[in-house]
C-alpha cells in the first residue's frame, strides 16, 4: 500500500534538510554544536572498533550486505526498497554536499581529533547517516516494534561514529538523518509498503478470547471510512460487527485532522494524535452514552487489541441498510422524522455525532432508523457543534427527499430555533465530503439543492438569506496575493540599480498631473454606476448604485477575477427587487459590453500606434494587425463550434448576446451601458498617462493605451485580485518596450496602481460595511 503519512514524512524531512542547508552554507558553527561535537570526538579509544564497524552500514557496501540479507530471507520487495533507498540517499547526499559546500570540522575550527577514515570531502549532510537512515526507513514496515527500534538505534550509532572519527558536525548528522528518512518514505510511495491493515486471520485469532466456540469472520462490504469492517457469525447464529482500526487508519486520521486544523477555523476537533486503542475506546464510550440517551444504535460488546497493535470494536450487527443505498421512494416522511427523532435524543444528552451522512443512518424493514459510527462523536458538545449536526443531516437527507420534505421533517421534530443556528452552516465547507458529493449529483438534476435548501431554511425561520459563517482559516486568494506580489516585485524590479532612478522620478513628480490621474480614477466609479443603470430595465437610484460600485471595488481587492464585485452587484440588484436570474443577466450584460469596448479600443489603439511605426520597438502596421484579428476570430469560431463550445460555451454566449441585443434596442439604456464602459476604460488610460507625465515619462497616448489595454487583458487571467503583480509587470514591460526609461516606467506604474488600486480600498471598505449594515447588499 501507499500510506498518506509518507507524504508528511517526505515534506517534513525536506523542510529539515533545507533548513539545515541554509544554516550550513555560512560555515558558522555555534558554541553548542562545537561543544557537542567535542564531547563525542573525545570519547575514549575503547569505542573505536565498535563504532567503526557499525559505521559501515552507511556505505554502499552496507547497502549491498543488507540487500544480500533480504535475498537470503527471500524478501524481494525488501531488496527493491533497500537498494533504491540506499543508493538514492548516497547520490543525493553527494549532490547536496556540492550545493551547500560546508567544510569538515577540521576546516572550520581547531582542536579536532581525526581518528582515521576521514577524507578531504565536504560536511553537510552526512552521507553515511543518510544511507543508514534510508535503509532503516525503508525496512521499518517489515519489522515489528523491536526491529524498528534496533534499526534506528543503528542509525544513531552511525551518527555518533561519524562525529567520533572527526568527519561531521551534529548539524551534518541531523541533515543526513532527515534526508535518508525522507528518501525512505519516498521509496514507499513509489513501490508501496506493507499495508498494516487488519486481516481476517488476525481478527479470528483475537476474537477467540471472547468466542470460545466456532465462529466465522468475513470482510464486510460496507462504507467504513477510517477503519476495516468485518462480520462475525457464531455457531449459534449470533451476528456481530467488528470495526478494526490499524496504524494506517490512525496515520490517515492524523493527516486529515491536521489538514482541517490548518485550513478551517472553529473546528473544536479533538487531538488527532491518539492511538488506535484510544480511538476505539472513545467510540465505544460515546456509543454507550448515546444508547443510554435512548438513541437506537448497535449494542457495544467489547474492545480488543490484536497482536500487531490494531484495535477492534465488537458490536451487535444490525439487519438494516444505510440510507445512501435506499431508493428515494423508501425514504418516507416517517423515516425522515424517525432519523430526526434519533438526533433529538442525541442532542438532548449534549452529544454531537459529527458525521451524520446517509451511510451512518440505517433503516430496517419496519422503517426504524438506527445511528452508527460514533468515531468522531463528542460529549458535552457546544451549541455550534450541535448546529453542525443539524446542518449535516438536513443537507444529506435533502439529497434523497428534496429540500422541502427534509426541512419539514426536521422542523417538526427539532423546532425552528435549531435551524436558525444551523442555517449559516449550510455551506460546502461545513459538510462532509460524502454529503457534498451527493449534493452535486442531486443538483445536476434539480438545480442547486444547497442554495434552495438555504433559501427555504431562511424563509422557515423568518430571516433573510443567512450570512454564511466564515470557516476558512487560510484563504487561497491571500496566498495567491502574496505569491503574485513576490513575482511582481521580481519582474518589476529586476535591476537594483533602477530603484534609485525610480525613487528619484517619484520624488520630483508634478502634483498637477497627479491630480488629473486621481480625478480620472474617480471618474471610473461614476461611469461604473451609470453603466450598471443601463444594464437593468428598472429605475435605480444613481448615487446608491455608484456607492455599490465603490463597495464592489473593495470586494475585488480580496477576490480574483472580479468575482467579489460580481457578487456584490448581484446581491444589490436582488435587494433592489430583481430576481436572481435577472440580476445575473444584468451583471453579465455589463461584463460583456465592457469586454467588447475594451477589445474595440485595443484594436483601434493598436492600429493608430502601428501607424506611428513602433510598438515594443517595431509594432506591425495595419495589415498584419488585421490578419491577426481575422485569425483570432477564426480560432474563436472553431472553438465555439467544437463539441465543448456547442455544449458549454455557445449557450452562455447566445444568452449573453441576446441580453446585449435587447439592451441595444433601448437607446437610453444602450447609451448608459456602452458610454459608461467607454468612459471607464478611457479614464484608466488617461490616469496611467497622467501618472507617467507626473514622473516625466512622456509617451504618445496611443502607445499608453496599447500598453494598458493589452496589459490588463493579459493580467485578467492571473489568479490574483485585480491582477496584482501580473498587471504591474505587464505595464512596465510594455512601457519599456516602447522605449521609456525603466526608472520613470516603474515610478509611473506604481503611482498609477497606488491611485487606482490601493487608495480606493479604504473608501471601498467603508462603503461595503455601511451598505451591508443598511441592507443594500
Amino acid at each position: 500500500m501507499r500510506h498518506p503519512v509518507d507524504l508528511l514524512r517526505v515534506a517534513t524531512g525536506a523542510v529539515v534538510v533545507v533548513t539545515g542547508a541554509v544554516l550550513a552554507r555560512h560555515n558558522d558553527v555555534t558554541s553548542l554544536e562545537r561543544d557537542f561535537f567535542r564531547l563525542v570526538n573525545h570519547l575514549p579509544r575503547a569505542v573505536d572498533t565498535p563504532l567503526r564497524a557499525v559505521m559501515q552500514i552507511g556505505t554502499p557496501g552496507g547497502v549491498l550486505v543488507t540487500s544480500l540479507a533480504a535475498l537470503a530471507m527471500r524478501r524481494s520487495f525488501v531488496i527493491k526498497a533497500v537498494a533504491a533507498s540506499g543508493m538514492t540517499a548516497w547520490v543525493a547526499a553527494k549532490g547536496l554536499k556540492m550545493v551547500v559546500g560546508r567544510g569538515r570540522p577540521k576546516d572550520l575550527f581547531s582542536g579536532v581529533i581525526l581518528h582515521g577514515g576521514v577524507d578531504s570531502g565536504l560536511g553537510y549532510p552526512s552521507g553515511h547517516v543518510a544511507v543508514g537512515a534510508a535503509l532503516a526507513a525503508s525496512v521499518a514496515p517489515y519489522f515489528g516494534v523491536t526491529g524498528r527500534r534496533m534499526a534506528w538505534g543503528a542509525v544513531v550509532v552511525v551518527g555518533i561514529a561519524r562525529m567520533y572519527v572527526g568527519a561531521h558536525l551534529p548539524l551534518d548528522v541531523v541533515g543526513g538523518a532527515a534526508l535518508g528518512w525522507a528518501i525512505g518514505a519516498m521509496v514507499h510511495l513509489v513501490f508501496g509498503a506493507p499495508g498494516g491493515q487488519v486481516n481476517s486471520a488476525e481478527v479470528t485469532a483475537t476474537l477467540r478470547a471472547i468466542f470460545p466456540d466456532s465462529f466465522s469472520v468475513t470482510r464486510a462490504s460496507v462504507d467504513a471510512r477510517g477503519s476495516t469492517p468485518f462480520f462475525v457469525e457464531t455457531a449459534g447464529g449470533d451476528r456481530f460487527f467488528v470495526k478494526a482500526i490499524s496504524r494506517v487508519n490512525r496515520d490517515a486520521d492524523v493527516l486529515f485532522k491536521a489538514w482541517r486544523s490548518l485550513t478551517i477555523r472553529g473546528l473544536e476537533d479533538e487531538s488527532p494524535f491518539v492511538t488506535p486503542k484510544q480511538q476505539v475506546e472513545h467510540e465505544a464510550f460515546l456509543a454507550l452514552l448515546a444508547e443510554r440517551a435512548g438513541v437506537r444504535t448497535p449494542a457495544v460488546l467489547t474492545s480488543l487489541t490484536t497482536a500487531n497493535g490494531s484495535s477492534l470494536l465488537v458490536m451487535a450487527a444490525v439487519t438494516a441498510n444505510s440510507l445512501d443505498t435506499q431508493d428515494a421512494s423508501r425514504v418516507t416522511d416517517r423515516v425522515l422524522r424517525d432519523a430526526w427523532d434519533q438526533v433529538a435524543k442525541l442532542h438532548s444528552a449534549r452529544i454531537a455525532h459529527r458525521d451524520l451522512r446517509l451511510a451512518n443512518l440505517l433503516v430496517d424493514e419496519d422503517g426504524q432508523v438506527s445511528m452508527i459510527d460514533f468515531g468522531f462523536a463528542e460529549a458535552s458538545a457546544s451549541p455550534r457543534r450541535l448546529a453542525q449536526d443539524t446542518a449535516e443531516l438536513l443537507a444529506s437527507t435533502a439529497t434523497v427527499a428534496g429540500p422541502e420534505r427534509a426541512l419539514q421533517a426536521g422542523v417538526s421534530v427539532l423546532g425552528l430555533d435549531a435551524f436558525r443556528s444551523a442555517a449559516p452552516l449550510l455551506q460546502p465547507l461545513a459538510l462532509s465530503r460524502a454529503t457534498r458529493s451527493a449534493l452535486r449529483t442531486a443538483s445536476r438534476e434539480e438545480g442547486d439543492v444547497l442554495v434552495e435548501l438555504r433559501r427555504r431554511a431562511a424563509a422557515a425561520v423568518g430571516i433573510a438569506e443567512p450570512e454564511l459563517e466564515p470557516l476558512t482559516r487560510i484563504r487561497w486568494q491571500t496566498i495567491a496575493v502574496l505569491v503574485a506580489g513576490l513575482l511582481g516585485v521580481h519582474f518589476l524590479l529586476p535591476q537594483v540599480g533602477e530603484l534609485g532612478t525610480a525613487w528619484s522620478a517619484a520624488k520630483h513628480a508634478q502634483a498637477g498631473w497627479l491630480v488629473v490621474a486621481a480625478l480620472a480614477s474617480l471618474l471610473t466609479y461614476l461611469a461604473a454606476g451609470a453603466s450598471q443603470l443601463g444594464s437593468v430595465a428598472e429605475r435605480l437610484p444613481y448615487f446608491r448604485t455608484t456607492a455599490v460600485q465603490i463597495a464592489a471595488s473593495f470586494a475585488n481587492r480580496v477576490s480574483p477575477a472580479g468575482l467579489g464585485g460580481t457578487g456584490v452587484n448581484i446581491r444589490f440588484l436582488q435587494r433592489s427587487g430583481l430576481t436572481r436570474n435577472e440580476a445575473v443577466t444584468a451583471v453579465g450584460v455589463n461584463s460583456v459590453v465592457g469586454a467588447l469596448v475594451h477589445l474595440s479600443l485595443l484594436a483601434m489603439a493598436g492600429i493608430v500606434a502601428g501607424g506611428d511605426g513602433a510598438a515594443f520597438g517595431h509594432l506591425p502596421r495595419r495589415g498584419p494587425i488585421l490578419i491577426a484579428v481575422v485569425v483570432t476570430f477564426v480560432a474563436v469560431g472553431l472553438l465555439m463550434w467544437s463539441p465543448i463550445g456547442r455544449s458549454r460555451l455557445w449557450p452562455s454566449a447566445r444568452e449573453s448576446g441576446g441580453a446585449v441585443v435587447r439592451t441595444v434596442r433601448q437607446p437610453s439604456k444602450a447609451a448608459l451601458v456602452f458610454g459608461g464602459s467607454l468612459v471607464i476604460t478611457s479614464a484608466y488610460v488617461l490616469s496611467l498617462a497622467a501618472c507617467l507625465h507626473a514622473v516625466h515619462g512622456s509617451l504618445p497616448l496611443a502607445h499608453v493605451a496599447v500598453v494598458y489595454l493589452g496589459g490588463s487583458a493579459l493580467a485578467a487571467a492571473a489568479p490574483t485580485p485585480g491582477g496584482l503583480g501580473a498587471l504591474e509587470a505587464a505595464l512596465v514591460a510594455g512601457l519599456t518596450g516602447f522605449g521609456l526609461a525603466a526608472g520613470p516606467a516603474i515610478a509611473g506604474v506604481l503611482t498609477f496602481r497606488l491611485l487606482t488600486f490601493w487608495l480606493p480600498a479604504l473608501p471601498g471598505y467603508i462603503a461595503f460595511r455601511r451598505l451591508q449594515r443598511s441592507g443594500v447588499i
Side-chain angles (χ1 to χ4, degrees), residues 458-480:
V461 299
I463 61 174
E465 186 172 344
E467 183 175 350
L468 300 183
E469 181 178 332
L471 298 176
T472 305
R473 186 187 300 275
I474 299 176
R475 294 178 59 85
W476 299 116
Q477 295 93 330
T478 304
I479 297 176

Side-chain angles (χ1 to χ4, degrees), residues 243 245 253 257 268-291 297 300 302-304 311-313 315 350-355 373-381 385:
K243 183 176 183 178
I245 299 179
D253 185 59
K257 289 184 177 179
E268 307 174 19
D269 270 354
E270 298 292 335
S271 171
F273 302 103
V274 295
T275 64
K277 185 173 185 291
Q278 290 171 322
Q279 285 182 259
V280 163
E281 291 174 346
H282 172 83
E283 181 170 352
F285 171 66
L286 266 297
L288 290 170
L289 287 182
E291 186 179 15
T297 186
V300 174
T302 188
S303 64
L304 301 167
S311 291
L312 309 180
L313 177 61
M315 298 171 283
R350 308 301 299 175
I351 300 173
H353 186 278
R354 297 189 54 215
D355 195 16
D373 197 353
F374 286 83
F376 286 101
E378 181 180 322
S380 303
R385 183 67 83 200

Side-chain angles (χ1 to χ4, degrees), residues 314-339:
V314 185
M315 298 171 283
V318 177
T319 305
N321 297 309
S322 60
L323 276 180
D324 63 335
T325 63
Q326 297 295 301
D327 185 81
S329 61
R330 292 205 59 195
V331 185
T332 63
D333 291 341
R334 177 191 170 191
V335 170
L336 292 174
R337 284 193 297 270
D338 194 42

Side-chain angles (χ1 to χ4, degrees), residues 221-589:
S221 299
V222 298
D223 185 355
R225 301 178 185 182
S227 64
T228 306
F230 297 90
F231 281 125
V232 178
E233 186 167 356
T234 65
D238 296 324
R239 295 182 74 246
F240 296 91
F241 178 79
V242 176
K243 183 176 183 178
I245 299 179
S246 65
R247 176 179 56 85
V248 173
N249 301 133
R250 189 276 315 272
D251 291 344
D253 185 59
V254 168
L255 290 178
F256 172 72
K257 289 184 177 179
W259 176 251
R260 281 167 53 88
S261 299
L262 286 173
T263 57
I264 304 177
R265 66 176 69 183
L267 276 177
E268 307 174 19
D269 270 354
E270 298 292 335
S271 171
F273 302 103
V274 295
T275 64
K277 185 173 185 291
Q278 290 171 322
Q279 285 182 259
V280 163
E281 291 174 346
H282 172 83
E283 181 170 352
F285 171 66
L286 266 297
L288 290 170
L289 287 182
E291 186 179 15
R292 177 179 294 180
V295 177
R296 200 176 295 116
T297 186
V300 174
L301 181 62
T302 188
S303 64
L304 301 167
T305 301
T306 67
N308 71 349
S310 299
S311 291
L312 309 180
L313 177 61
V314 185
M315 298 171 283
V318 177
T319 305
N321 297 309
S322 60
L323 276 180
D324 63 335
T325 63
Q326 297 295 301
D327 185 81
S329 61
R330 292 205 59 195
V331 185
T332 63
D333 291 341
R334 177 191 170 191
V335 170
L336 292 174
R337 284 193 297 270
D338 194 42
W340 283 107
D341 187 56
Q342 302 307 305
V343 172
K345 293 177 180 178
L346 197 67
H347 287 185
S348 66
R350 308 301 299 175
I351 300 173
H353 186 278
R354 297 189 54 215
D355 195 16
L356 287 176
R357 51 196 172 94
L358 296 180
N360 289 333
L361 298 172
L362 306 182
V363 58
D364 60 19
E365 292 296 331
D366 298 328
Q368 291 188 321
V369 175
S370 299
M371 192 177 293
I372 61 172
D373 197 353
F374 286 83
F376 286 101
E378 181 180 322
S380 303
S382 67
R384 181 179 181 276
R385 183 67 83 200
L386 301 180
Q388 284 181 304
D389 262 9
T390 303
E392 179 76 32
L393 183 58
L394 179 60
S396 61
T397 53
T399 62
V400 292
E404 183 177 1
R405 289 180 55 215
L407 184 61
Q408 286 178 350
V411 171
S412 67
V413 176
L414 295 186
L416 290 176
D417 287 341
F419 292 90
R420 186 174 286 108
S421 56
L425 294 168
L426 289 171
Q427 52 178 305
L429 203 58
L431 305 175
S432 68
R433 182 180 298 177
T435 300
R436 292 199 301 268
S437 178
L439 284 169
R440 285 194 296 269
T441 302
S443 297
R444 283 195 289 266
E445 302 174 357
E446 307 169 15
D448 197 326
V449 174
L450 190 58
V451 170
E452 177 66 14
L453 187 62
R454 202 158 49 226
R455 185 187 67 79
R456 288 181 178 273
V461 299
I463 61 174
E465 186 172 344
E467 183 175 350
L468 300 183
E469 181 178 332
L471 298 176
T472 305
R473 186 187 300 275
I474 299 176
R475 294 178 59 85
W476 299 116
Q477 295 93 330
T478 304
I479 297 176
V481 168
L482 294 174
V483 173
L486 294 174
L487 291 176
V489 170
H490 174 74
F491 289 118
L492 285 171
L493 310 174
Q495 300 179 5
V496 178
E498 298 294 347
L499 288 175
T501 307
W503 174 243
S504 177
K507 284 194 302 183
H508 298 91
Q510 300 179 54
W513 283 110
L514 293 180
V515 172
V516 172
L519 291 175
S521 177
L522 176 62
L523 183 59
T524 62
Y525 297 100
L526 300 175
S531 181
Q532 189 64 75
L533 290 179
S535 65
V536 297
E538 288 75 3
R539 295 179 61 87
L540 300 175
Y542 171 69
F543 289 107
R544 179 181 295 178
T545 306
T546 302
V548 170
Q549 306 316 305
I550 297 173
S553 72
F554 167 73
N556 282 335
R557 301 298 185 270
V558 292
S559 62
L563 296 178
T566 299
V568 168
N569 275 299
I570 291 175
R571 177 67 64 85
F572 165 64
L573 294 177
Q574 285 183 277
R575 294 288 175 85
S576 299
L578 278 71
T579 65
R580 181 171 179 82
N581 287 339
E582 291 172 339
V584 171
T585 300
V587 173
V589 167

